[in-house]
Amino acid sequence: MAEHVYEQDNYGQFTQDEVETLIEVGALLSSDLHMEELVEILMEQAVLLVGAESGLLWFGGEQHRMTPVAAYGLDGDSVGLLWKQIASRIESTTVRGKPITISTDCGDNGSLLENVSFAINQPVNSMILLPLVSKGRSLGCLQLINKQDGSEFSNRDLRLCTTFASQAAVIIDNRILFDKQEKLMLSLIRALSSALDARDPYTQGHSERVSQLALLIAKKIDMDQKEQEILQQSALLHDVGKIGIRDSVLLEPGPLDDEKWQIMKSHPVIGAQIIQQIEPKSVMEKIYDGVMYHQEKYDGSGYPYGLRGQEIPQVARIIAIADAYDAITSDRPYRKAKSPQEALAEIKKCAGKHFDPQLVEIFLDAMGYQENKKTSS
Ligand SMILES: [Fe+2]
């Protein structure tokens, strides 16, 4: 068997098993996965689909050089060598846009098998190359190496893989688009939070620092990646309602009198109203909790609603701790910043009163708090 180029005419009918497998794989890839998870699963499923020994998923195409992004059954050295030796060959195959099988007796492409064989340090008798194309745009290439049973890849294998690859390409393309939108959203959120911080020189960088500290706690409690992103965005925007607080209150250099304090206390509700205006609503709804409830206190003495304990959403309980730490360790016009150890001691004192005691423990641990260390700066 020589190089076999897949043509639409070869499509034929799938068996029921094949259709079921393709539907299962499609559903798996359509779930809400990050790009890193998506490429790993995609690679694994492609290998399993045709009983390949190993495989490599390449991203790149018209404007970008081909780069391996996921491998199955290959060690790091092999992937590195393949990248060095065959990236341009993969690129030219991808540009042709047709899936192909390659076996040992196929002329020019035989040398490609030899190169792969050298790189992975084992004989290679058969290979499939599947360009990933979505909306006429080349995204990369799926490379499958050797059948586990020692035979060569068949027309059936190529047919199955081609359908799989066309599904996968659309899913990858959607993921790229979604990631771009998320990046745009995060940059807008950052712009909004830094615009707020810029109004008051004493709180410059506050939102960014609070989000970093909040993430520190999130990682310690093994919060999943999606929830961490929401927490990060919520922390960046937690004080966004202060945009609606007039300068004479926000920039007041001393402690606030009762009237001004009441105005200042409206910032979570104003912030939540701002958040509700932003689209997409499905995303902003999740960010809302941190903005609306970050001034609630564990013992019910906070505002705006006097929620207590677990009634306060977790994202808000985390932000409350990060917010307090950053406030205590920052200079204010009417007081000097305290040292990290002093701030941590103060937060520890408020565990169970202002803050969730379990989260305080986790935060103190993450910040390397030492009880007996002298706390004066
Ligand atoms: Fe804050």
Side-chain angles (χ1 to χ4, degrees):
M1 189 177 134
E3 172 186 324
H4 177 80
V5 179
Y6 176 84
E7 298 293 349
Q8 198 67 28
D9 293 349
N10 298 338
Y11 214 60
Q13 291 282 316
F14 287 123
T15 65
Q16 193 173 343
D17 276 359
E18 288 169 348
V19 172
E20 279 171 13
T21 307
L22 287 168
I23 290 173
E24 272 171 33
V25 171
L28 193 61
L29 294 175
S30 302
S31 42
D32 193 13
L33 299 167
H34 274 90
M35 187 61 96
E36 296 79 19
E37 299 165 306
L38 182 62
V39 295
E40 291 295 334
I41 292 179
L42 196 153
M43 184 71 260
E44 186 183 7
Q45 291 300 320
V47 165
L48 295 177
L49 194 63
V50 292
E53 252 177 23
S54 57
L56 197 55
L57 176 61
W58 302 76
F59 272 7
E62 283 132 28
Q63 286 145 7
H64 304 287
R65 284 223 60 198
M66 281 288 175
T67 309
V69 292
Y72 185 96
L74 297 172
D75 61 26
D77 288 346
S78 301
V79 173
L81 272 174
L82 285 170
W83 190 4
K84 207 168 152 192
Q85 295 197 346
I86 66 163
S88 56
R89 296 288 297 275
I90 296 287
E91 233 159 60
S92 57
T93 305
T94 305
V95 167
R96 283 166 61 190
K98 301 258 188 210
I100 58 171
T101 50
I102 302 169
S103 51
T104 39
D105 56 349
C106 60
D108 192 32
N109 273 326
S111 67
L112 181 57
L113 288 192
E114 279 165 26
N115 285 339
V116 173
S117 174
F118 173 77
I120 70 173
N121 199 23
Q122 69 178 85
V124 175
N125 70 339
S126 187
M127 202 162 73
I128 288 183
L129 295 178
L130 293 153
L132 297 168
V133 181
S134 173
K135 297 173 203 143
R137 203 162 51 88
S138 168
L139 303 176
C141 183
L142 195 52
Q143 177 186 11
L144 297 167
I145 303 165
N146 281 347
K147 291 269 284 184
Q148 276 174 23
D149 62 10
S151 65
E152 293 177 352
F153 289 109
S154 64
N155 281 348
R156 175 191 168 274
D157 294 329
L158 190 59
R159 193 158 66 97
L160 264 177
C161 282
T162 302
T163 306
F164 171 81
S166 59
Q167 263 182 313
V170 172
I171 292 163
I172 289 170
D173 205 17
N174 286 345
R175 187 70 248 175
I176 291 170
L177 196 67
F178 194 70
D179 285 351
K180 273 187 191 161
Q181 280 177 334
E182 281 197 332
K183 245 188 197 164
L184 176 67
M185 170 78 104
L186 190 58
S187 64
L188 289 172
I189 286 173
R190 283 221 154 87
L192 196 57
S193 76
S194 54
L196 168 74
D197 290 353
R199 269 188 73 198
D200 179 356
Y202 281 97
T203 59
Q204 227 161 49
H206 169 70
S207 307
E208 189 67 53
R209 289 193 299 273
V210 170
S211 84
Q212 293 308 318
L213 292 164
L215 282 179
L216 199 66
I217 299 175
K219 289 196 172 93
K220 284 273 173 188
I221 58 171
D222 291 329
M223 186 181 268
D224 79 37
Q225 192 60 33
K226 268 267 162 269
E227 284 180 42
Q228 283 190 36
E229 283 165 19
I230 291 162
L231 173 68
Q232 181 190 19
Q233 294 167 1
S234 198
L236 281 168
L237 289 175
H238 75 280
D239 273 343
V240 73
K242 289 185 180 171
I243 282 176
I245 305 293
R246 60 176 191 257
D247 280 359
S248 62
V249 176
L250 188 69
L251 306 180
E252 170 78 47
L256 299 173
D257 64 25
D258 194 46
E259 190 201 336
K260 286 183 174 173
W261 180 232
Q262 290 309 317
I263 295 170
M264 187 60 120
K265 278 169 73 175
S266 65
H267 81 268
V269 175
I270 298 172
Q273 285 165 350
I274 292 171
I275 293 292
Q276 282 177 315
Q277 308 296 315
I278 306 173
E279 298 282 352
K281 292 233 183 306
S282 56
V283 175
M284 298 317 284
E285 258 169 29
K286 295 170 189 162
I287 295 173
Y288 176 99
D289 280 351
V291 178
M292 179 61 111
Y293 304 114
H294 73 277
Q295 293 290 355
E296 299 289 358
K297 294 194 164 88
Y298 203 73
D299 61 3
S301 66
Y303 60 89
Y305 298 112
L307 301 185
R308 60 175 66 231
Q310 306 293 312
E311 288 172 355
I312 307 166
Q314 187 189 51
V315 55
R317 280 180 274 134
I318 293 174
I319 292 172
I321 295 171
D323 191 20
Y325 177 84
D326 189 63
I328 300 168
T329 53
S330 300
D331 279 330
R332 286 288 182 272
Y334 49 91
R335 63 155 174 78
K336 290 295 285 175
K338 292 191 177 174
S339 72
Q341 285 297 311
E342 283 175 306
L344 294 172
E346 214 164 307
I347 286 169
K348 185 177 165 64
K349 238 192 279 169
C350 295
K353 296 175 198 147
H354 293 183
F355 309 120
D356 179 330
Q358 277 184 326
L359 292 175
V360 167
E361 278 304 311
I362 287 159
F363 182 62
L364 295 178
D365 185 43
M367 297 293 283
Y369 176 66
Q370 292 168 308
E371 184 109 42
N372 298 325
K373 198 167 168 185
K374 197 168 175 280
T375 54
S376 59
S377 50

